[in-house]
Coordinates of all heavy atoms in Angstrom, one line a residue:
P76 N 72.0 66.7 -186.0 CA 72.0 67.7 -187.1 C 72.0 67.0 -188.5 O 72.6 65.9 -188.6 CB 73.3 68.4 -186.8 CG 73.6 68.2 -185.4 CD 73.1 66.8 -185.1
E77 N 71.5 67.6 -189.5 CA 71.4 67.0 -190.8 C 72.8 66.8 -191.3 O 73.1 65.9 -192.1 CB 70.6 67.9 -191.8 CG 70.4 67.3 -193.1 CD 69.6 68.2 -194.0 OE1 68.9 69.0 -193.5 OE2 69.7 68.0 -195.3
D78 N 73.8 67.7 -191.0 CA 75.1 67.6 -191.5 C 76.1 66.9 -190.6 O 77.3 67.1 -190.7 CB 75.7 69.0 -191.8 CG 75.7 69.9 -190.5 OD1 75.2 69.5 -189.5 OD2 76.2 71.0 -190.6
C79 N 75.6 66.1 -189.7 CA 76.4 65.4 -188.7 C 77.3 64.4 -189.4 O 77.0 63.9 -190.5 CB 75.6 64.7 -187.6 SG 74.6 63.4 -188.2
D80 N 78.4 64.0 -188.7 CA 79.3 63.0 -189.1 C 78.7 61.7 -188.6 O 78.8 61.4 -187.4 CB 80.7 63.2 -188.6 CG 81.7 62.2 -189.0 OD1 81.3 61.0 -189.3 OD2 82.9 62.4 -188.9
T81 N 78.1 60.8 -189.5 CA 77.4 59.7 -189.0 C 78.4 58.7 -188.3 O 77.9 57.9 -187.4 CB 76.7 59.0 -190.2 OG1 77.6 58.7 -191.2 CG2 75.6 59.9 -190.7
A82 N 79.6 58.6 -188.8 CA 80.5 57.6 -188.1 C 80.9 58.1 -186.7 O 81.0 57.3 -185.8 CB 81.8 57.5 -189.0
H83 N 81.0 59.4 -186.6 CA 81.4 60.0 -185.2 C 80.2 59.8 -184.2 O 80.5 59.4 -183.1 CB 81.7 61.5 -185.4 CG 82.0 62.1 -184.1 ND1 83.1 61.9 -183.3 CD2 81.2 63.0 -183.3 CE1 83.1 62.6 -182.2 NE2 81.9 63.3 -182.2
I84 N 79.0 60.1 -184.6 CA 77.9 60.1 -183.7 C 77.6 58.6 -183.2 O 77.0 58.4 -182.2 CB 76.6 60.7 -184.2 CG1 76.1 59.9 -185.4 CG2 76.8 62.2 -184.6 CD1 74.7 60.3 -185.9
S85 N 78.1 57.7 -184.0 CA 77.8 56.2 -183.6 C 78.9 55.6 -182.9 O 78.8 54.4 -182.5 CB 77.6 55.5 -185.0 OG 76.6 56.1 -185.7
Q86 N 80.0 56.3 -182.6 CA 81.1 55.7 -181.8 C 80.6 55.4 -180.4 O 79.9 56.2 -179.8 CB 82.3 56.6 -181.8 CG 83.0 56.7 -183.2 CD 84.1 57.8 -183.2 OE1 84.4 58.4 -182.1 NE2 84.7 58.0 -184.3
P87 N 81.0 54.3 -179.8 CA 80.6 54.0 -178.4 C 80.8 55.1 -177.4 O 80.0 55.3 -176.6 CB 81.3 52.7 -178.1 CG 81.6 52.1 -179.5 CD 81.8 53.2 -180.4
E88 N 82.0 55.7 -177.5 CA 82.3 56.7 -176.5 C 81.4 58.0 -176.6 O 81.0 58.6 -175.7 CB 83.7 57.1 -176.5 CG 84.2 57.7 -177.8 CD 84.7 56.6 -178.7 OE1 84.4 55.4 -178.5 OE2 85.5 56.9 -179.6
V89 N 81.0 58.3 -177.9 CA 80.1 59.4 -178.1 C 78.7 59.0 -177.7 O 78.0 59.8 -177.0 CB 80.1 59.8 -179.6 CG1 79.1 60.9 -179.9 CG2 81.5 60.2 -180.0
A90 N 78.2 57.9 -178.1 CA 76.9 57.4 -177.7 C 76.8 57.2 -176.2 O 75.8 57.6 -175.5 CB 76.5 56.1 -178.4
G91 N 77.9 56.7 -175.6 CA 77.9 56.6 -174.1 C 77.8 57.9 -173.4 O 77.1 58.0 -172.3
A92 N 78.5 58.9 -173.9 CA 78.5 60.2 -173.3 C 77.0 60.8 -173.3 O 76.6 61.4 -172.4 CB 79.4 61.2 -174.0
R93 N 76.3 60.5 -174.4 CA 74.9 61.0 -174.5 C 74.1 60.3 -173.4 O 73.2 61.0 -172.8 CB 74.3 60.7 -175.9 CG 74.7 61.7 -176.9 CD 73.8 61.5 -178.2 NE 74.0 60.2 -178.8 CZ 74.8 60.0 -179.8 NH1 75.6 60.9 -180.3 NH2 74.9 58.8 -180.3
L94 N 74.3 59.0 -173.2 CA 73.5 58.3 -172.2 C 73.8 58.8 -170.8 O 72.9 59.0 -170.0 CB 73.8 56.8 -172.3 CG 73.0 56.0 -173.3 CD1 73.6 54.6 -173.5 CD2 71.5 55.9 -172.8
R95 N 75.1 59.0 -170.5 CA 75.5 59.6 -169.2 C 74.8 61.0 -169.0 O 74.4 61.3 -167.9 CB 77.0 59.7 -169.1 CG 77.7 58.4 -169.3 CD 78.0 57.7 -168.0 NE 79.0 56.6 -168.1 CZ 78.7 55.4 -167.8 NH1 77.5 55.0 -167.4 NH2 79.6 54.4 -167.9
E96 N 74.8 61.8 -170.0 CA 74.2 63.1 -169.9 C 72.7 63.0 -169.6 O 72.1 63.7 -168.9 CB 74.4 63.9 -171.2 CG 74.0 65.3 -171.2 CD 74.8 66.2 -170.4 OE1 76.0 65.8 -170.1 OE2 74.3 67.3 -170.0
Q97 N 72.1 62.0 -170.3 CA 70.7 61.8 -170.1 C 70.3 61.2 -168.8 O 69.3 61.7 -168.1 CB 70.1 60.9 -171.2 CG 68.6 60.6 -171.1 CD 68.1 59.7 -172.2 OE1 68.8 59.4 -173.2 NE2 66.9 59.2 -172.1
L98 N 71.0 60.2 -168.3 CA 70.6 59.4 -167.2 C 71.5 59.5 -166.0 O 71.2 58.9 -164.9 CB 70.5 57.9 -167.6 CG 69.4 57.6 -168.7 CD1 69.6 56.2 -169.3 CD2 68.0 57.8 -168.2
G99 N 72.5 60.3 -166.1 CA 73.4 60.4 -164.9 C 74.7 59.7 -165.1 O 74.8 58.6 -165.7
P100 N 75.8 60.1 -164.4 CA 77.1 59.5 -164.6 C 77.2 58.1 -164.0 O 78.1 57.3 -164.4 CB 78.0 60.5 -163.8 CG 77.1 61.2 -162.8 CD 75.8 61.3 -163.5
G101 N 76.3 57.7 -163.1 CA 76.4 56.4 -162.5 C 75.6 55.3 -163.1 O 75.6 54.2 -162.6
V102 N 74.9 55.6 -164.2 CA 74.0 54.6 -164.8 C 74.8 53.5 -165.4 O 75.9 53.7 -165.9 CB 73.1 55.3 -165.9 CG1 74.0 55.8 -167.1 CG2 72.1 54.2 -166.4
E103 N 74.4 52.3 -165.1 CA 75.1 51.1 -165.6 C 74.4 50.5 -166.7 O 73.2 50.2 -166.7 CB 75.2 50.0 -164.4 CG 76.0 50.5 -163.2 CD 76.2 49.4 -162.2 OE1 76.9 48.5 -162.4 OE2 75.5 49.6 -161.1
F104 N 75.1 50.2 -167.8 CA 74.4 49.8 -169.1 C 75.5 49.0 -169.9 O 76.7 49.1 -169.7 CB 73.8 50.9 -169.8 CG 74.8 51.9 -170.4 CD1 75.4 51.8 -171.6 CD2 75.2 53.0 -169.6 CE1 76.4 52.7 -172.0 CE2 76.1 54.0 -170.0 CZ 76.7 53.8 -171.3
E105 N 74.9 48.3 -170.9 CA 75.7 47.7 -172.0 C 75.0 48.0 -173.3 O 73.8 47.9 -173.4 CB 76.0 46.2 -171.8 CG 74.7 45.4 -171.8 CD 75.1 43.9 -171.6 OE1 76.2 43.6 -171.4 OE2 74.1 43.1 -171.6
F106 N 75.8 48.3 -174.3 CA 75.2 48.5 -175.7 C 74.9 47.1 -176.3 O 75.6 46.2 -176.2 CB 76.2 49.2 -176.5 CG 76.3 50.7 -176.2 CD1 77.5 51.3 -175.9 CD2 75.1 51.5 -176.3 CE1 77.6 52.6 -175.6 CE2 75.2 52.9 -176.0 CZ 76.4 53.4 -175.7
V107 N 73.7 47.1 -177.0 CA 73.4 46.0 -177.9 C 73.7 46.3 -179.3 O 74.2 45.5 -180.1 CB 71.9 45.6 -177.7 CG1 71.5 44.5 -178.7 CG2 71.6 45.2 -176.3
W108 N 73.5 47.6 -179.7 CA 73.8 48.0 -181.1 C 73.7 49.5 -181.1 O 72.9 50.2 -180.4 CB 72.7 47.5 -182.0 CG 73.0 47.7 -183.4 CD1 73.8 47.1 -184.3 CD2 72.4 48.8 -184.2 NE1 73.8 47.6 -185.5 CE2 72.9 48.7 -185.5 CE3 71.5 49.8 -183.9 CZ2 72.6 49.6 -186.5 CZ3 71.2 50.7 -185.0 CH2 71.7 50.6 -186.2
I109 N 74.6 50.1 -181.9 CA 74.6 51.6 -182.1 C 74.7 51.8 -183.6 O 75.5 51.2 -184.3 CB 75.8 52.3 -181.4 CG1 75.9 51.9 -180.0 CG2 75.6 53.8 -181.5 CD1 77.3 52.3 -179.3
G110 N 73.9 52.7 -184.1 CA 74.0 53.0 -185.5 C 73.3 54.3 -186.0 O 72.3 54.7 -185.3
P111 N 73.8 54.9 -187.0 CA 73.1 56.1 -187.6 C 71.8 55.7 -188.4 O 71.8 54.5 -188.9 CB 74.1 56.7 -188.5 CG 75.0 55.6 -188.9 CD 75.0 54.6 -187.8
Y112 N 70.9 56.6 -188.5 CA 69.7 56.3 -189.2 C 69.3 57.6 -190.0 O 69.3 58.7 -189.3 CB 68.5 55.9 -188.3 CG 67.2 55.9 -189.0 CD1 66.9 54.9 -190.0 CD2 66.2 56.8 -188.7 CE1 65.7 54.9 -190.6 CE2 64.9 56.8 -189.3 CZ 64.7 55.8 -190.3 OH 63.4 55.8 -190.9
G113 N 69.1 57.5 -191.2 CA 68.7 58.7 -192.0 C 67.7 58.3 -193.0 O 67.6 57.1 -193.5

């Protein structure tokens, strides 16, 4: 959303929850980088 909290959406637990929602709870991954873009 345009009015999102950029710090919140970039937190690892928030980004990780999006990935789990997309690919399933058992997906195994590691982050290389997370960041907002506008």
Side-chain angles (χ1 to χ4, degrees):
E77 185 178 340
D78 60 354
C79 67
D80 180 339
T81 56
H83 174 74
I84 64 171
S85 306
Q86 291 175 2
E88 58 270 21
V89 176
R93 278 194 298 267
L94 275 170
R95 299 267 192 243
E96 184 73 17
Q97 176 180 350
L98 298 169
V102 64
E103 297 182 70
F104 63 89
E105 61 179 3
F106 284 122
V107 177
W108 185 83
I109 311 168
Y112 169 69

